[in-house]
Amino acid sequence: LFRSTPQMSSRFRAVFQNDLAILHSGLTSNEYEKEWFKIHLGFVKIVLGVRTSIFTLLENIGLIIVDEEHDGSYKSQDLPPYQARDIAVLRAKKEKACCILGSATPSVESMYNAMQGKYEYFKLENKYSNNTVDSIIIDSKKNMNLPSRLKEGNYPLKSTQISFQNDSISSEVCSLLKEKKDKGEQS
């Protein structure tokens, strides 16, 4: 399951070619039906798709991957409402398959299940692309509207106690975000 992107689809298509079916909302009804029947008739071994793809009739499933499992788009409000991530976990269990819930920022539910020993937790130490991730620590206390005794100490603060001179984010963070955006980079 994934959030549909043309880049991801083309990467998978380049590797898996005719063994792949792709299901997403950008398909016409005829294209969607064609992909669905390729799955149903057993012509493909891999399904790449959005939340409804968890209901495909793929047989002999060995692996289900839910990319960005924390994403709210996996929750369907249609009747009956469902959470595709949770259906993926249940289906993997039923099919005796492995289910990988991937995320740089796991959902609270998944982290709780990992802490309870229900899920196994693996942390990747390096990015696949080997790109480095810049990180900095900004002491924003000097820009906060706080009494001086709180600025100088290391006191825990509630979010309701914090404001940055009429903004909710410090000027340093705003400047860095703008700089990254101007370069076309992510933050």
Side-chain angles (χ1 to χ4, degrees), residues 33-44 57-59:
E33 189 173 299
K34 180 181 174 186
E35 294 296 294
W36 189 269
F37 275 106
K38 284 182 359 188
I39 299 163
H40 179 69
L41 297 173
F43 294 147
V44 298
L57 301 173
L58 192 63
E59 293 183 9

Side-chain angles (χ1 to χ4, degrees), residues 10-27:
S10 63
R11 284 181 179 172
F12 271 75
R13 182 70 70 202
V15 173
F16 299 109
Q17 300 168 357
N18 294 331
D19 283 334
L20 175 70
I22 300 176
L23 299 173
H24 59 81
S25 61
L27 299 175

Side-chain angles (χ1 to χ4, degrees), residues 133-147:
V133 177
D134 296 332
S135 63
I136 62 169
I137 297 173
I138 298 173
D139 182 2
S140 297
K141 284 186 178 177
K142 64 183 183 290
N143 297 324
M144 289 184 191
N145 295 323
L146 295 173

Side-chain angles (χ1 to χ4, degrees), residues 9 11 25 29 34 37 41-42 47 69 72 87 89 92 110 112 134 137-138 141 146 149 156-157 160 170:
S9 297
R11 284 181 179 172
S25 61
S29 59
K34 180 181 174 186
F37 275 106
L41 297 173
V47 176
E69 64 87 15
I87 300 290
V89 171
S110 293
Y112 178 78
D134 296 332
I137 297 173
I138 298 173
K141 284 186 178 177
L146 295 173
R149 67 178 174 80
L157 300 170
T160 55
S170 73

Side-chain angles (χ1 to χ4, degrees), residues 41-60:
L41 297 173
F43 294 147
V44 298
K45 296 177 180 154
I46 299 163
V47 176
L48 184 67
V50 293
R51 71 175 174 238
T52 57
S53 63
I54 196 61
F55 299 112
T56 61
L57 301 173
L58 192 63
E59 293 183 9
N60 299 321

Side-chain angles (χ1 to χ4, degrees), residues 125-137:
E125 299 296 331
N126 300 309
K127 293 175 67 172
Y128 171 76
S129 64
N130 287 328
N131 291 343
T132 59
V133 177
D134 296 332
S135 63
I136 62 169
I137 297 173

